[in-house]
Every structure is written in structure tokens, then in C-alpha cells.
Amino acid sequence: MDCRELFAILSDYLEEELDPGISDELKKHLEECRYSCPNFVKTFKMTIELYRSSPPEEVPREVRLRLRHLLWQEGREEEL
Amino acid sequence: MPAKKESDEVLVRKSKEGDQTAFAELVNRYESKIYSLAHKMTGNREDAADVLQEAFLDAYKSLSHFKEEAKFSTWLYRIATNVCLMKLRKRKGEAVISLDEPLLTEEGERPREIPDWSTNPGAVVLNEELKQVMDEAIKALPPAYKSVFVLRNLEGLSNAETGKVLGESLATVKSRLHRARIFLRERLSHYFDDNHPPSEKE
């Protein structure tokens, strides 16, 4: 496997959706690669974990209220 | 006694019959997810609030056309992603690169070195910095790449689900993801080139 091939299947690797054989080839490339693959994969993986581990953002109160108000209005219009 | 949690399917059916409290429950269930998605896609909170509002209003109005072949969440993500994409396309000065532009040569272009941040002892501070750099890089992604990257990598949808949300084939999803990663890698290396004096690069 070369850098280009690794790159093409990186998301599947991170989601653990690769066939075991291909996954092993990818790991082997990561051990041997003299270019930026190892650091990129680590950094990429860590960033994604950071995003995923942060809870969904809280919707500001005024935004929540406005949304409910608009939906309520929309519902009333339908009834009329 | 707390009420038993009803499935999305049941709530959708009730909403279609005109039960507004059922739809309100769906809003409670998904609003922060949609808001987060919209924030990542648009890069700011005002636009995220607009997207949230438009997406749920659209969903409410077009619920009768929702055939329930897909999951409600997929359908809702699709509406929200489309609203985001429309917003991004309307913006002036948005970075646009051709979807067909070859970014890697056949031999495989050799990217510049990217420092490994994940093993640094000052990880907490760096996590913040890393997230900021990544936020900026994601912001700069062209819309077509951004939507696949956010849905697949940040929201954790599968390739197939991402395809359903975007109405694109699996092959298109994969190729755009690939290009998004190339774009991000380039951005990250630019950041280091600009911010780290040569002496720190050893």
C-alpha cells in the first residue's frame, strides 16, 4: 500500500469498516511510511475524536423560543 | 411517572395526523444535533440558527410528502444539509475549487511534514489549538466537500447514510471525502509553515 491508497480508504479505516486484510496492510504502511502519513492519521483521528466527544451544542434559548413560536404559527395557519 | 419514549416513526405518524405535540417532541429530540451540524457547516452561530429554523419549518410543511422509506433523521439531515449548502453558495468570496482538479499526481504527491500533536505533553492546550486550526480548515472547505466531511467524519454517518442524505452515489461520497482530506492536509501543513519558525521544526 502507498500513501495515496492509504488516503483513499482512511475514513473506512477510522470507522473500523475495512476488511481485516486491508486494515493490516494499512497499519503496515503506517509503520513504514517515511512521509507524513503517520502524523496526519494521528492528528486527523484525534481531531475527529475531539469533535465527537464534545456534546451537541446547546441551542441558545432565544433561538429555541423563536423556532417554537414559528412552528406554532405555522400549525395555526394550517388549521385555519 | 415519565411517559414511555415513543419512536421517531410513531411521532412522525402522529405529526402527520396533525398532532403538534408529537412534532414538538421531534424538535426536542433533534434540534441540538441539527444546530451542531449547521454550525460546523456554516461556521457561525447566526447562520446555524437560521438553518435550524428553516430546516424544521421545511420539515413541518413537507412532512406529508415524507414517505418513511428512509429514517426520519436521514430525511431531516438532508433538508438541513441542503439549507446549509444553499447558504454557502449564496456567500460571496467562498473558496471554490474545481471538483475535478487533480490534487495528487499518479506517483503520489509528497506532502510536507505535519507535526504530530497527539503525543505532546501539553495536550490540553494543544487540543484547543488543534480544534481551532481544524475549525478554520473546515470552514475553508468547498461546500461539496464540507458536507460529506461533516456528515461522515464529524457526525459519524456511514458512507451509505451520507449518500442518502446528500442524494449522491457511494462513489461520489468516497471521492469527495478523499478530496476533503487532501484539502485539509494541505491546510494543516500551511498552518505549520506559517506559524512555526524553522528552528522549532527540528
Side-chain angles (χ1 to χ4, degrees):
Chain A
M1 184 176 296
D2 61 23
C3 301
R4 200 184 155 84
E5 287 164 337
L6 175 136
F7 221 67
I9 55 172
L10 187 56
S11 294
D12 294 335
Y13 170 67
L14 295 179
E15 299 295 333
E16 297 173 359
E17 288 168 5
L18 283 183
D19 293 335
I22 299 175
S23 179
D24 288 346
E25 271 182 52
L26 189 147
K27 284 180 196 153
K28 189 160 166 276
H29 175 84
L30 282 180
E31 279 167 22
E32 292 165 354
C33 179
R34 292 175 295 117
Y35 302 102
S36 65
C37 286
N39 282 348
F40 180 74
V41 171
K42 269 191 217 163
T43 305
F44 193 76
K45 193 175 170 197
M46 194 176 113
T47 317
I48 285 168
E49 280 164 6
L50 266 177
Y51 274 100
R52 296 243 184 115
S53 63
S54 46
E57 278 172 81
E58 209 165 300
V59 185
R61 191 180 141 76
E62 68 276 12
V63 176
R64 291 173 47 110
L65 289 176
R66 195 172 67 215
L67 173 62
R68 280 156 183 77
H69 177 69
L70 286 166
L71 286 169
W72 178 76
Q73 271 188 331
E74 193 61 40
R76 266 177 60 105
E77 273 170 32
E78 270 181 19
E79 276 173 23
L80 293 176
Chain B
M1 205 170 77
K4 207 177 124 200
K5 205 176 169 228
E6 290 177 296
S7 69
D8 286 2
E9 289 77 20
V10 170
L11 291 173
V12 165
R13 230 161 293 145
K14 285 185 174 176
S15 303
K16 280 183 172 179
E17 287 158 10
D19 181 347
Q20 273 197 283
T21 55
F23 193 78
E25 180 53 31
L26 289 168
V27 173
N28 289 336
R29 216 168 263 188
Y30 286 106
E31 69 180 334
S32 62
K33 282 188 180 157
I34 297 297
Y35 184 73
S36 294
L37 170 76
H39 190 195
K40 284 170 203 141
M41 285 286 293
T42 61
N44 71 73
R45 292 198 164 79
E46 295 84 72
D47 282 344
D50 285 353
V51 170
L52 178 75
Q53 193 172 299
E54 251 180 82
F56 273 112
L57 275 172
D58 268 11
Y60 187 72
K61 286 185 211 163
S62 52
L63 198 64
S64 58
H65 303 297
F66 172 46
K67 297 213 177 56
E68 294 169 67
E69 284 156 2
K71 285 194 285 186
F72 174 74
S73 58
T74 305
W75 184 71
L76 186 62
Y77 268 55
R78 180 168 186 158
I79 293 174
T81 308
N82 280 334
V83 177
C84 289
L85 287 173
M86 270 192 293
K87 240 182 197 328
L88 292 174
R89 280 178 192 136
K90 266 189 224 158
R91 267 188 210 164
K92 289 199 176 122
E94 187 75 37
V96 175
I97 61 168
S98 163
L99 294 182
D100 304 317
E101 191 180 338
L103 290 164
L104 279 181
T105 63
E106 278 310 309
E107 297 79 45
E109 189 179 292
R110 296 305 176 200
R112 273 157 293 188
E113 288 301 303
I114 295 175
D116 172 16
W117 280 349
S118 59
T119 51
N120 192 294
V124 179
V125 181
L126 285 177
N127 279 358
E128 279 303 306
E129 194 182 353
L130 174 59
K131 191 138 180 299
Q132 258 177 27
V133 174
M134 199 68 166
D135 276 341
E136 286 303 313
I138 293 171
K139 233 183 230 184
L141 273 171
Y145 301 167
K146 196 186 289 182
S147 50
V148 274
F149 178 78
V150 170
L151 291 168
R152 173 75 168 118
N153 288 126
L154 304 188
E155 301 298 321
L157 270 58
S158 69
N159 280 332
E161 285 169 329
T162 304
K164 272 187 203 155
V165 168
L166 296 170
E168 301 284 359
S169 71
L170 212 54
T172 304
V173 168
K174 286 185 178 177
S175 113
R176 287 190 186 167
L177 261 182
H178 185 102
R179 289 175 185 282
R181 284 193 292 266
I182 293 171
F183 187 94
L184 292 175
R185 189 175 62 184
E186 287 301 301
R187 279 277 161 160
L188 292 177
S189 57
H190 285 154
Y191 171 81
F192 293 115
D193 282 354
D194 293 345
N195 290 280
H196 291 249
S199 60
E200 284 181 25
K201 280 189 173 174
E202 294 309 310

